[in-house]
Amino acid sequence: MTATSDQFRDILETEENVHMGNLIDIARHGIPSKVRGEVWKYLLGISKPDKAEEAKRERQQTQDYNNIDKSCSTEIVKSIKNQITRTYSKYEFFQQPSVQNRIVEIISAYTNYAHDVEYNSSMISLIGPLVYSLKKDSEIFWCFEALMKKIEQHFSEDSLPDKMSRLMMYIRFVHSELANHFEEEELSLNDWSMSWLKYLFSRELPLECVLRLWDTYFSDGFDLHIYVCIAILVNCAEELQELEISELKGLLQHLPVMDMDLVS
């Protein structure tokens, strides 16, 4: 059961130290939207448990963000805005020019800050939940930077091809009929699993599902992600087995709303 906003505030508004163990214990079961951004900052390590240095740390983060170059080419600006419109076509929030301009600025700052990183369209779906949940651009930026580091670390421990092989092995073990159907329809793992594994369902699931799922991921880490992939496949197995390859790809790339408490 999801804890209430007041229960989260009891932990967050302590005078001395935020008890991270208690925060994680309730956050993994879902975070109310009113406090999600504040909680995510702690789970991603942007806010620290020691409250004594909180104000100073926030000022420094804001100053550091303000000092980052946010320039980018007109072509990149256009590409980012087009991708926002495509990715979040159903969400009025992301169609606002002010929101799109903020995303352009934050992603430009990130690509200038991380010198070995170039813009790619997957950044839009990964930054979207952060923009939706957090208020200050500097907070969004540092949370995004932390998220990208965590994803990089996750794949440094176990490569994407290895994860894809494990995923197929698990599908065969858990639901052989579905695995056989994928083979009969000549559905390649590359058609869907690469995006599932790399981008934490930010491209495939509706935003409200991504937000809930990431509550758990930020609390417990990304190691459980492959098992969530299996749980989602099992949840959709009956419908998937009735589809031909083009429809299979469509459903796997655009998953329906589902109860994330049942799969995470």
Side-chain angles (χ1 to χ4, degrees):
M1 178 183 292
T2 303
T4 65
S5 297
D6 287 341
Q7 288 173 299
F8 276 96
R9 288 194 177 98
D10 286 342
I11 298 174
L12 295 172
E13 294 176 2
T14 181
E15 291 185 3
E16 296 183 354
N17 288 284
V18 172
H19 194 296
M20 289 302 298
N22 291 346
L23 186 62
I24 289 169
D25 282 344
I26 63 173
R28 62 166 54 99
H29 301 295
I31 305 169
S33 58
K34 289 182 179 179
V35 294
R36 175 173 279 122
E38 198 67 25
V39 175
W40 277 7
K41 287 192 296 178
Y42 282 98
L43 298 180
L44 289 169
I46 304 308
S47 293
K48 304 298 182 183
D50 182 7
K51 299 296 284 288
E53 298 293 320
E54 183 176 21
K56 180 180 178 181
R57 188 164 49 246
E58 287 183 359
R59 285 195 301 270
Q60 187 63 53
Q61 288 175 347
T62 300
Q63 180 179 332
D64 289 345
Y65 173 72
N66 289 340
N67 289 336
I68 297 172
D69 177 21
K70 301 172 184 66
S71 62
C72 68
S73 69
T74 303
E75 182 180 350
I76 294 295
V77 171
K78 183 178 179 181
S79 179
I80 292 174
K81 290 186 175 183
N82 287 341
Q83 188 62 40
I84 295 169
T85 301
R86 286 194 296 268
T87 302
Y88 294 109
S89 59
K90 297 180 181 179
Y91 298 92
E92 185 177 342
F93 173 81
F94 289 99
Q95 306 310 314
Q96 300 175 63
S98 59
V99 172
Q100 294 194 1
N101 289 336
R102 292 175 67 201
I103 293 174
V104 168
E105 184 174 282
I106 296 166
I107 287 181
S108 299
Y110 176 72
T111 55
N112 290 327
Y113 178 80
H115 300 294
D116 58 340
V117 175
E118 294 183 357
Y119 165 72
N120 67 77
S121 61
S122 65
M123 291 179 179
I124 302 303
S125 58
L126 288 169
I127 202 171
L130 300 173
V131 175
Y132 193 78
S133 302
L134 291 148
K135 294 180 179 179
K136 292 177 62 178
D137 289 3
S138 58
E139 295 173 343
I140 297 167
F141 172 84
W142 293 115
C143 283
F144 182 64
E145 195 257 349
L147 172 59
M148 297 299 277
K149 280 185 177 178
K150 286 180 180 292
I151 292 173
E152 181 180 2
Q153 180 182 2
H154 180 59
F155 284 104
S156 69
E157 298 166 354
D158 192 7
S159 70
L160 181 59
D162 288 343
K163 290 183 188 297
M164 291 171 68
S165 297
R166 283 175 56 205
L167 179 61
M168 195 65 230
M169 180 182 69
Y170 291 159
I171 297 171
R172 291 183 184 283
F173 181 76
V174 173
H175 207 301
S176 59
E177 291 181 1
L178 183 59
N180 290 337
H181 181 62
F182 283 176
E183 287 187 356
E184 290 168 3
E185 292 297 326
E186 299 182 349
L187 179 71
S188 169
L189 273 177
N190 292 332
D191 289 335
W192 60 278
S193 67
M194 190 178 298
S195 178
W196 277 35
L197 291 167
K198 285 183 71 174
Y199 306 125
L200 309 176
F201 289 114
S202 61
R203 288 180 161 187
E204 292 79 18
L205 280 170
L207 179 61
E208 56 268 33
C209 296
V210 175
L211 296 171
R212 171 61 192 89
L213 182 59
W214 284 14
D215 293 340
T216 300
Y217 284 175
F218 293 169
S219 300
D220 293 332
F222 297 156
D223 286 347
L224 57 82
H225 179 55
I226 195 167
Y227 304 108
V228 173
C229 292
I230 295 297
I232 287 177
L233 286 172
V234 171
N235 188 63
C236 299
E238 185 175 343
E239 184 175 359
L240 288 168
Q241 287 175 268
E242 295 177 356
L243 302 178
E244 296 181 352
I245 185 166
S246 61
E247 296 170 316
L248 274 172
K249 290 180 183 179
L251 181 57
L252 291 169
Q253 292 168 0
H254 302 282
L255 293 165
V257 172
M258 60 186 76
D259 185 349
M260 302 313 295
D261 288 327
L262 297 178
V263 299
S264 63

